[in-house]
Amino acid sequence: MTSETVDAPRAVIVISSHVARGSVGNRAAVFALETLGYPVWAVPTVILPWHPGHGRATRIVPDPHDFAALMKDLENAPWLGEVAGILSGYLGNAEQAAAVASLVSAVRAKNPRALYVCDPVMGDLGGLYVPEALAVALRDTLLPLADIATPNRYELEWIAGAKLDDTRAVIDAAMHAGPANMLVTSAPAMMAGSTGNLLVTPTAALLAEHRIVERPPNGLGDLTGAVFLARLLGGQSMEAALRSTTASVFEILARTAKRGGDELQLETDAQSLSHPMAMVHLRRLLHPGRDKRA
């Protein structure tokens, strides 16, 4: 192994929520990235005993000044050149977005090839579940900086300001509402009883479908963003990363559901991160930016 290989950036900064119990936010992303061989710098944006979907509980959000100071320390860290990627997810308040943006810029100054994946966690089928000011900060401050965004369909609807009831609408919205590359989860599928991850790039629209699992546990979006980033850092193409990420997440989801788990059981199914066996149907869709004859 050469010194160049040893010194190549591999660390990932993950900025998201922390729960004491469960596999959401940083708990999901850090486990996945470390299992796949990436050292992680984990930054909590809010501390909770469990996911709010399990019931009301204490919520500890760092003081905005303290959070910004911690992020500034990371910007000035002597090890910043180790960082190959950044993943941001759930934020505790709108003020945190500026600190995240500043850290992204500092990492890129050290390593221009670093990838920033933004998961704009703000809502679901029921609409926004964060204050509108926070949703605006995600849309206006962080999405423009991202190399890849990973909203669910309902978050993309809010960002685009329109209902997205079919794949054509999702593709059009993804092309105009975010960074050049967007991975939209909970996308409409073409097979009955299925859902999909829709990846839209400047030249391709790819849909990875799998069957719907009723009453899924939380954390799927966090896990998807982390695994997709790991696949790309590992050298996979966008298409290969989409297929293998969807297979891993679906396999863990299906196994957790079969056991009746109320949280993703990542520690039990860690092998699914590295060697998923689930079958995923991948479709190439018509991309408006390409010649229709291609």
Side-chain angles (χ1 to χ4, degrees), residues 75-208:
E75 290 182 30
N76 296 323
W79 315 280
L80 198 64
E82 298 174 356
V83 178
I86 306 161
L87 171 64
S88 69
Y90 184 87
L91 300 187
N93 56 42
E95 290 88 345
Q96 292 178 350
V100 175
S102 182
L103 180 57
V104 170
S105 297
V107 168
R108 284 177 169 162
K110 284 283 188 180
N111 177 14
R113 298 180 63 185
L115 291 177
Y116 171 38
V117 175
C118 176
D119 182 4
V121 181
M122 62 175 75
D124 54 24
L125 180 59
L128 291 181
Y129 51 62
V130 302
E132 186 169 353
L134 174 51
V136 170
L138 291 167
R139 182 192 66 194
D140 296 349
T141 301
L142 295 185
L143 282 182
L145 293 177
D147 297 294
I148 304 157
T150 60
N152 63 43
R153 185 198 344 169
Y154 312 107
E155 290 163 341
L156 182 57
E157 285 183 343
W158 186 87
I159 293 166
K163 290 291 291 182
L164 307 175
D165 293 325
D166 55 39
T167 54
R168 171 53 52 204
V170 175
I171 292 170
D172 289 343
M175 290 181 64
H176 296 96
N181 304 291
M182 187 170 282
L183 173 57
V184 184
T185 60
S186 303
M190 295 187 176
M191 294 190 298
S194 298
T195 186
N197 290 331
L198 177 59
L199 177 64
V200 181
T201 76
T203 59
L206 303 168
L207 178 65

Side-chain angles (χ1 to χ4, degrees), residues 207-259:
L207 178 65
E209 298 175 300
H210 63 76
R211 64 179 174 83
I212 291 174
V213 174
E214 297 296 334
R215 295 181 295 280
N218 297 296
L220 296 172
D222 306 304
L223 185 60
T224 297
V227 176
F228 191 67
L229 175 56
R231 300 289 199 252
L232 295 178
L233 293 177
Q236 288 193 7
S237 67
M238 286 277 192
E239 179 175 339
L242 173 65
R243 184 191 296 273
S244 62
T245 296
T246 304
S248 286
V249 175
F250 171 61
E251 189 169 297
I252 292 171
L253 166 61
R255 289 178 172 177
T256 296
K258 186 175 181 179
R259 299 186 196 102

